[in-house]
Amino acid sequence: IKFSPHRRNLLVSCSYDMTVCLWDFMVEDALVGRYDHHTEFAVGVDLSVLVDGLMASTGWDELVYVWQQGMDPRAA
């Protein structure tokens, strides 16, 4: 997991279920966004310290995605 450098209540996680999830742990329905763009285990995530909402992920599918929160990673 990585915590947002811009919003203290936001974090992003990656998982062996091939998803990258965005969470707001200050609300009851914590899941903000779920991205299922990887075809193998998602093993790395990060959030930009320079651009709010800019995320990156990598997986065993040997792909790296960089996208803006709320957008489809495959369209970037």
Side-chain angles (χ1 to χ4, degrees):
I1 68 170
K2 293 284 186 162
F3 284 87
S4 171
H6 301 281
R7 298 182 217 165
R8 65 184 180 101
N9 58 316
L10 205 63
L11 64 89
V12 64
S13 66
C14 63
S15 174
Y16 271 27
D17 69 357
M18 299 179 276
T19 64
V20 174
C21 293
L22 194 60
W23 307 90
D24 180 345
F25 58 85
M26 297 294 282
V27 298
E28 188 172 331
D29 293 327
L31 185 62
V32 174
R34 179 184 163 119
Y35 304 93
D36 59 355
H37 51 282
H38 285 288
T39 58
E40 295 289 338
F41 302 144
V43 295
V45 293
D46 208 352
L47 295 164
S48 173
V49 297
L50 300 175
V51 180
D52 188 13
L54 188 63
M55 305 189 293
S57 68
T58 188
W60 277 18
D61 53 11
E62 300 180 357
L63 297 171
V64 174
Y65 291 90
V66 179
W67 74 99
Q68 190 68 32
Q69 177 186 339
M71 305 298 289
D72 183 348
R74 292 168 284 225

